[in-house]
Amino acid sequence: MNSTNRQAIWASDPRWTRAREHALRGEVLQAEMLLRGLLAEHRDCTPARLTVADYMAERGDLDGALQLLLTPRADDSDGNLGFAVARVQVARGDPAAARAALEAALGRQPRFLEAWLMLAEVCDVLGDAHAALRARTRLFAEANAQGRWTSHETTEPQWQQAVRRNIEAYRRDKRERLFAAFAEVRERHGADSLRRFERALTGYLREWDATPPDARQRPKFFWFPDLPPGPYHDPMLQPWAATLRDAWQDIRDEAVELLREDRDFESFLGLKPGQKAPGSIGGAAENPAWDAFFFYNHGVRYDANHERSPRTSALLESIELCRIPRQAPEICFSLIRPQSSILPHYGVTNVRLVFHLPLVVPPDCALNVAGIEHHWREGEPILFDDTYEHEAWNRSDQPRLILLMDCWNPHLTQSEKEAVRHVIEAIDELAL
């Protein structure tokens, strides 16, 4: 019998209705007796178990409430039993047991906001500030996704004080953690070398309005405000750009051979075969596609692909790459299939720019960044800031192929690159 059928049986049992009526009149003992009778026949009736345990805890029988909650055959797919166990364990003065119960419940139901909040506060009691900050990071990410606890109006009255308290703790502890992440860089290079970065970081922490003044630029994650603005930049600002440009023919030869075989290209967006992304990929083709032969993807090296393109691999490994674990670099032969388009979107941060080395460019292919159209020319590199709205298209009947890579913004200093890397690693670790 599934859970829906079981709930229908419990809800139709007259003892359930009568117990609720007694409870509304304050006749707790009568309500409890009826629910115990219901549990005697339906041991897996979780709502009755939770209610009786609440009555027991309220009169001080914490051990009895805990025993009842931990009785076998109880369904806890929604995490409510684990949450109730944690509440009793907190009342019993056992925060370690409460933490274990909450972590187990969240493993079953990771969207349980109240459990994330309690886990954060239990970790505070246990002195595990890092775990508390990670729990609050997950708490507020889930709250935003659900549209709950994002304002006074979306927060239930009984939770408003706790939510405010946890918001304050989250902001304080996150700030402390991120500034500590690059303390060694500041000590080694000097505080003056990181003034621009600290301004960017306080903007990320929403201590001031860090909205770019150009409405065409909307980074989804992190904006460094004091870098030279503009959608396009001189690719020769990168000290290695000429190396790749001069090796264009070698790179192209390897890419064209891979395209001829066309067996190891995969969806750039990670789409599965047959999966569509109408908000990201469009065009006149029946199955428009943006594919990639990855050298690196989210910082992960594709060793087999490097072996298949040894000359390109050697060139890439000879230059400075933007290396951030689980984030960068992103380097590939980028393939827009015929009659396909990459729809307008924004990138995550301007601390890195996007470099293109065009390899195979049929007619009627272009890139549009911030309303400024650029037509690729084979062998001529370009550099652009993808935090500006941008799109690309191939309206021809032939494939368009480029070497695409993200790279450090050339206007960052060495100390700023190091600080960025440490802080993004810290942010990423909190979200794991």
Side-chain angles (χ1 to χ4, degrees):
M1 184 183 299
N2 62 39
S3 61
T4 302
N5 291 335
R6 290 197 301 268
Q7 291 172 13
I9 291 174
W10 305 332
S12 63
D13 193 302
R15 288 169 295 187
W16 181 258
T17 303
R18 287 162 53 201
R20 293 181 62 187
E21 292 171 351
H22 281 298
L24 289 172
R25 294 196 295 267
E27 299 164 354
V28 174
L29 180 59
Q30 293 91 325
E32 182 176 337
M33 295 302 294
L34 287 165
L35 292 174
R36 284 184 178 276
L38 183 60
L39 277 173
E41 296 181 24
H42 303 286
R43 294 178 62 191
D44 56 354
C45 181
T46 300
R49 189 181 304 278
L50 291 169
T51 304
V52 173
D54 278 345
Y55 292 154
M56 297 174 74
E58 286 172 5
R59 63 173 178 263
D61 185 5
L62 297 175
D63 290 342
L66 184 61
Q67 182 178 0
L68 179 64
L69 291 169
L70 294 175
T71 300
R73 287 187 60 190
D75 176 25
D76 193 29
S77 56
D78 59 7
N80 280 314
L81 270 173
F83 183 64
V85 167
R87 290 172 61 190
V88 173
Q89 295 288 27
V90 167
R92 294 175 73 244
D94 192 347
R99 177 177 181 173
L102 289 165
E103 289 174 343
L106 286 164
R108 292 185 289 273
Q109 181 46 266
R111 303 192 69 205
F112 197 156
L113 297 190
E114 294 83 354
W116 283 115
L117 187 150
M118 181 179 285
L119 177 60
E121 298 201 330
V122 164
C123 288
D124 282 336
V125 172
L126 291 169
D128 193 340
H130 184 62
L133 178 55
R134 290 186 65 180
R136 290 187 175 104
T137 299
R138 185 62 181 271
L139 164 64
F140 292 115
E142 287 292 343
N144 285 330
Q146 297 177 34
R148 289 183 62 201
W149 297 3
T150 59
S151 65
H152 180 81
E153 292 73 24
T154 59
T155 306
E156 301 88 342
Q158 70 271 26
W159 290 104
Q160 288 180 1
Q161 183 177 355
V163 169
R164 284 196 299 270
R165 182 172 65 245
N166 278 269
I167 288 174
E168 292 171 2
Y170 174 63
R171 289 173 175 168
R172 179 194 66 236
D173 295 345
K174 184 175 183 180
R175 187 185 205 280
E176 181 179 322
R177 174 72 184 88
L178 297 188
F179 271 81
F182 68 98
E184 183 273 334
V185 180
R186 186 194 302 111
E187 181 176 347
R188 183 157 38 86
H189 290 279
D192 287 344
S193 71
L194 295 173
R195 297 297 183 200
R196 293 196 311 175
F197 174 71
E198 290 191 7
R199 173 171 156 78
L201 181 55
T202 55
Y204 166 77
L205 292 169
R206 299 185 180 180
E207 294 177 15
W208 57 278
D209 183 4
T211 303
D214 189 335
R216 301 172 300 170
Q217 184 181 28
R218 289 293 177 264
K220 294 191 290 187
F221 171 58
F222 189 95
W223 182 52
F224 202 117
D226 297 314
L227 297 175
Y232 292 97
H233 295 259
D234 181 358
M236 292 305 149
L237 290 172
Q238 300 289 7
W240 41 260
T243 300
L244 295 183
R245 180 200 60 196
D246 294 345
W248 170 78
Q249 189 64 57
D250 285 341
I251 297 171
R252 185 182 190 277
D253 288 346
E254 289 187 332
V256 167
E257 177 60 23
L258 291 167
L259 182 59
R260 185 187 64 78
E261 298 175 1
D262 200 4
R263 59 184 175 88
D264 289 315
F265 284 84
E266 59 187 89
S267 166
F268 187 94
L269 300 177
L271 302 177
K272 294 179 172 56
Q275 186 178 4
K276 307 292 185 182
S280 301
I281 307 296
E286 182 178 353
N287 294 299
W290 177 21
D291 292 336
F293 179 89
F294 283 108
F295 294 95
Y296 288 88
N297 188 16
H298 298 299
V300 177
R301 191 179 194 271
Y302 283 46
D303 292 339
N305 287 357
H306 279 264
E307 291 175 6
R308 294 195 61 207
S309 305
R311 288 172 291 177
T312 302
S313 174
L315 287 163
L316 294 174
E317 299 300 344
S318 72
I319 65 177
E320 181 191 23
L321 301 179
C322 178
R323 297 184 184 271
I324 302 175
R326 293 185 296 276
Q327 301 295 328
E330 192 100 77
I331 307 176
C332 66
F333 290 138
S334 171
L335 173 63
I336 302 182
R337 300 283 181 178
Q339 299 296 329
S340 298
S341 299
I342 303 168
L343 301 181
H345 63 289
Y346 297 92
V348 295
T349 177
N350 66 332
V351 299
R352 58 115 178 96
L353 301 180
V354 180
F355 178 89
H356 285 182
L357 180 63
L359 304 173
V360 177
V361 182
D364 213 3
C365 293
L367 171 72
N368 185 337
V369 185
I372 304 171
E373 197 169 297
H374 173 87
H375 292 262
W376 295 284
R377 290 181 290 274
E378 294 181 1
E380 296 185 15
I382 66 167
L383 187 68
F384 69 95
D385 184 341
D386 72 345
T387 63
Y388 287 82
E389 185 181 54
H390 60 289
E391 61 181 323
W393 58 83
N394 175 8
R395 295 171 183 155
S396 79
D397 294 322
Q398 300 296 319
R400 186 238 58 177
L401 190 64
I402 64 171
L403 174 66
L404 177 153
M405 63 185 292
D406 57 16
C407 53
W408 286 114
N409 189 312
H411 300 288
L412 289 172
T413 66
Q414 186 58 40
S415 60
E416 288 169 340
K417 293 176 189 177
E418 293 178 26
V420 166
R421 184 174 64 251
H422 286 300
V423 165
I424 292 180
E425 286 178 9
I427 293 170
D428 186 51
E429 195 276 334
L430 287 175
L432 289 177

